Amino acid sequence: MADTLTVVDNRTGKQYELPIQNGTVRAMDLRQIKTAPDDFGLMTYDPALMGTANCRSAITFIDGDKGILLYRGYPIEQLAEESDFLETAYLILFGELPTATQQQTWVREITLHTMLHENIKKFMEGFQYDAHPMGIFLSTVGALSTFYPDAKQIFDKVSRLRQTHRLIAKVPSIAAYAFRHSIGRPYIYPDNELSFSGNFLNMLFKMTELKYHPNPVLARALDVLFILHADHEQNCSTTAMRNIGSSHVDPYSALAGAAAALYGPLHGGANEAVLRMLGEIGSVARVPEFIKRVKASDGDVRLMGFGHRVYKSYDPRAKVIKKIADLVFAVTGKNPLLEIALEIERIALQDEYFVSRKLYPNVDFYSGLIYQAMGFPVEMFPVLFAIPRTAGWIAQWEEMLLDPEQKIARPRQIYVGPAQRDYIARDKRA
Ligand code: ACO
């Protein structure tokens, strides 16, 4: 059996053999298909790139039908159970789990870079008192490029590693400052004796005590949530990171763009929508009525936190999160919205409408409940997503930079505007 696709152009009767590799044909191979020598050649039309592989990647594997998510080959369930965020970030960035020495060096480098330049603090102080923390976060990440002009040396391996250390270490500090700013509290400096997640909790919640002692269950829960969100292959924000990075801009500017993509309610904001939905439903007794409304609405009213473009079975991250929820609620007390969420899941998983459409809880269905119970306002949810995803964004950016097949991203279009016409003088316009 030949690994080729035979295409017959019925406009010309000509036949073409296109190679099939990795289950794909190359869109550029279609360019030879022409009706005349001056014809531009055939293109593919793929809005939202739903059927187009944009790169080769060795970072993350997803099998949406089977509910499998692997980072560098390792199942997400095992990493959530055995690893911690910094180790997982190392794995995502460098391809292998670190040895004991590598882990030690990595953690030390990250710990050394957690401080923010005092001028960054001043820069952040300039935001409106009620500025959205995600707006502060993405602007400040972009501003880092002005503090670290050496980041422009994107083809210098040492420089790339330095920016990687800085970014992984500083995003929690920026996130915490953004949070403290938005609630009018003084910024807290990092405590390098604490773990990555423990220090983040310190920078968020420390009040007047001399030393902040993070609750170990909450610190671990946050760490696991970070592991679950560290990468998810070619999603909207990662595609933004790769596209912006393909212009060879510095990684801070590219990452600001990726964070901006994550800010959107269709991407990083779905868990907030879940909380709003649960609040609107208000009680377990009203769940059946809401489900009826969803089914009758013909897609207009959606069960937020259900369904996924890629996962057509239970999102493996949602399974892990559900387990963490119990641990967190044992410390914080149960989020009163949990009962409503559980009832929705119970009914939906038995209902023909959701079953036939393969709609299962996704990562966002329970994560918002946990974040809320831990004391985070909903505005912080996308920021909490951006911190671990920074590891994925950098890994994907570097992979793109070093991939000899990649060039500046420059898609084509189908022009549907007016044909060429002459300028009309202002007094002659109808
Ligand atoms: N509730 C009710 N019905 C739904 C839902 C839902 N959450 N999601 C999809 N459907 C229905 C659609 O109405 C459609 O029905 P039809 O075939 O009768 O027209 C069918 O299922 C297929 O839906 P699509 O919109 O084509 O699926 P798509 O893959 O484009 O959408 C998406 C995926 C956007 C995630 C969708 O399931 C959704 O809107 N879910 C709710 C929002 C959400 O939770 N987003 C978070 C995603 S995870 C993340 O970004 C980290």
Side-chain angles (χ1 to χ4, degrees), residues 267 270 299 302-309 353 357 359 362 364:
H267 191 5
R302 293 202 163 193
L303 204 44
M304 297 313 289
F306 263 68
H308 197 277
R309 173 63 58 76
Y353 177 94
R357 287 171 178 76
L359 300 170
N362 60 48
D364 289 322

Side-chain angles (χ1 to χ4, degrees), residues 19 31 53 55 88 159 186 235 238 268 289 317 340 360 398 413:
R31 205 57 82 69
C55 59
T88 297
S159 169
N235 52 79
T238 301
E289 176 194 325
R317 300 168 300 173
I340 303 174
Y360 295 89
E398 192 165 39
Q413 64 167 5

Side-chain angles (χ1 to χ4, degrees), residues 46 74 92 99 114 171-172 212 223 233 268 283 299-300 388 416 424:
D46 188 10
Y74 294 103
I92 287 174
T99 62
T114 49
V171 286
Y212 180 83
D223 213 61
E233 49 119 312
S283 73
D300 288 343
V416 293
I424 307 168

Side-chain angles (χ1 to χ4, degrees), residues 50 229 232 235 262 265-271 273-274 294-295 297-312 315 317 353-354 357-360 362-365 385 389:
M50 287 175 51
H229 287 90
H232 212 232
N235 52 79
L262 188 66
L266 293 187
H267 191 5
N271 46 10
V274 172
V294 170
K295 286 163 48 176
S297 78
D298 206 18
D300 288 343
V301 183
R302 293 202 163 193
L303 204 44
M304 297 313 289
F306 263 68
H308 197 277
R309 173 63 58 76
V310 179
Y311 293 118
K312 298 303 171 196
D315 181 338
R317 300 168 300 173
Y353 177 94
F354 298 94
R357 287 171 178 76
K358 299 188 175 168
L359 300 170
Y360 295 89
N362 60 48
V363 68
D364 289 322
F365 193 61
F385 196 155
R389 186 54 60 87

Side-chain angles (χ1 to χ4, degrees), residues 92-132:
I92 287 174
L93 284 157
F94 305 108
E96 294 296 337
L97 287 166
T99 62
T101 322
Q102 285 168 333
Q103 169 85 1
Q104 224 178 9
T105 313
W106 171 240
V107 172
R108 193 183 56 237
E109 285 295 341
I110 299 301
T111 311
L112 281 177
H113 283 94
T114 49
M115 291 282 284
L116 295 176
H117 192 294
E118 282 300 292
N119 283 346
I120 295 177
K121 201 170 121 184
K122 280 193 207 137
F123 170 84
M124 295 179 79
E125 278 163 0
F127 283 99
Q128 271 293 67
Y129 71 95
D130 58 351
H132 194 293

